C-alpha cells in the first residue's frame, strides 16, 4: 500500500531532482520501504521536457550505484499538488516557485527544502551543478545522499 508520494523539484529536472529521485529510491529499497513510499521528480521550467537526465549526472550517480532514469517534465500544479504529499525543492528559487504555484495554505505546507533533511552537511540549498564540473556534481550527490538518509529516517519515524 502506498503511504507517501514524494516529488523532488529543481529548475530543469535534468541534474539535481532526477538524482534526488534515484538516490531516494535506492535508499528506500535498501530499507524495504520502496513499495510504500514512491518518488518522482519535475522541474519548474519546461525547457528540457522529454530529455534524459544530464549525461554527467547519470555517470557520476551510476558510479555510486544509482541509475538516474527519469525523463524531464515540468511541474504540473493542477495535478501534482493533489497527487504528492511532499514537494521537495532544491534551492530558494524552487521553493519560492512551488509556493507561488500552491493554491491553498495546505498545499504550501507540502513544500519542503531538501537540505532541511541533511544530518551531516550544513548547506541551505543544493547548488545547481549545470555549469560546473565533476566536483560540483559530486557535491550534489554528497548532499543528496545525506538529505535522503535524513528523509528516510523522517518518514520511517512515523511521518508517513
Ligand atoms: P537542474 O540543473 O535544475 O539541477 O536540472 C539545471 C539544468 C538546466 C539548466 C539549469 C540548471 N538550464 O539553464 O538549462
Amino acid at each position: 500500500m502506498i503511504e507517501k508520494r514524494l516529488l523532488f523539484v529543481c529548475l530543469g529536472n535534468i541534474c539535481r531532482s532526477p538524482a534526488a529521485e534515484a538516490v531516494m529510491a535506492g535508499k528506500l529499497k535498501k530499507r524495504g520501504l520502496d513499495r510504500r513510499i514512491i518518488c518522482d521528480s519535475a522541474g519548474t521550467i519546461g525547457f528540457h521536457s522529454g530529455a534524459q537526465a544530464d549525461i554527467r549526472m547519470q555517470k557520476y550517480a551510476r558510479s555510486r550505484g544509482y541509475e538516474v532514469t527519469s525523463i524531464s517534465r515540468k511541474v504540473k500544479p493542477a495535478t501534482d499538488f493533489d497527487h504528492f504529499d511532499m514537494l521537495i525543492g532544491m534551492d530558494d528559487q524552487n521553493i519560492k516557485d512551488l509556493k507561488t504555484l500552491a493554491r491553498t495554505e495546505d498545499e504550501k505546507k507540502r513544500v519542503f527544502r531538501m537540505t532541511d533533511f541533511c544530518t551531516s552537511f550544513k548547506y541551505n540549498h543544493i547548488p545547481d551543478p549545470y555549469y560546473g564540473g565533476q566536483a560540483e556534481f559530486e557535491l550534489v550527490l554528497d548532499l543528496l545522499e545525506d538529505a535522503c538518509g535524513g528523509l528516510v529516517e523522517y518518514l520511517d519515524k512515523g511521518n508517513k
Side-chain angles (χ1 to χ4, degrees):
M1 193 185 79
I2 301 214
E3 292 169 28
K4 209 76 163 178
R5 293 179 166 86
L6 315 177
L7 184 69
F8 297 98
V9 176
C10 62
L11 180 67
N13 190 215
I14 55 168
C15 296
R16 293 165 292 173
S17 61
E21 179 188 345
V23 170
M24 190 64 184
K27 291 198 180 283
L28 289 170
K29 190 155 196 191
K30 264 196 183 156
R31 190 64 79 93
L33 290 171
D34 53 313
R35 284 167 172 263
R36 290 158 65 187
I37 300 168
I38 58 163
C39 305
D40 192 4
S41 66
T44 55
I45 58 169
F47 188 69
H48 298 279
S49 286
Q52 284 191 353
D54 188 300
I55 197 79
R56 298 166 295 172
M57 185 54 92
Q58 290 190 50
K59 176 179 156 189
Y60 300 131
R62 187 175 302 119
S63 72
R64 297 183 188 217
Y66 308 107
E67 288 300 323
V68 181
T69 56
S70 74
I71 299 296
S72 178
R73 73 164 175 92
K74 194 175 176 186
V75 172
K76 296 177 280 188
T79 51
D80 285 338
F81 277 99
D82 287 334
H83 188 68
F84 292 98
D85 302 288
M86 297 176 77
L87 293 90
I88 305 167
M90 301 294 136
D91 63 26
D92 287 345
Q93 191 62 51
N94 309 151
I95 288 160
K96 195 172 161 207
D97 290 344
L98 285 169
K99 288 204 169 157
T100 302
L101 292 171
R103 295 158 298 185
T104 63
E105 282 308 308
D106 179 61
E107 288 185 355
K108 279 194 176 72
K109 284 190 202 142
R110 280 185 239 152
V111 178
F112 292 82
R113 178 181 292 266
M114 190 80 226
T115 48
D116 281 350
F117 298 100
C118 283
T119 59
S120 301
F121 284 89
K122 301 269 176 279
Y123 273 69
N124 65 4
H125 69 290
I126 309 282
D128 180 354
Y130 189 63
Y131 294 105
Q134 180 168 2
E136 285 71 24
F137 280 85
E138 299 287 6
L139 172 63
V140 168
L141 289 164
D142 287 341
L143 292 169
L144 292 177
E145 287 189 311
D146 186 21
C148 288
L151 183 54
V152 170
E153 294 304 327
Y154 172 82
L155 294 167
D156 207 19
K157 275 194 191 117
N159 296 297
K160 64 174 187 296

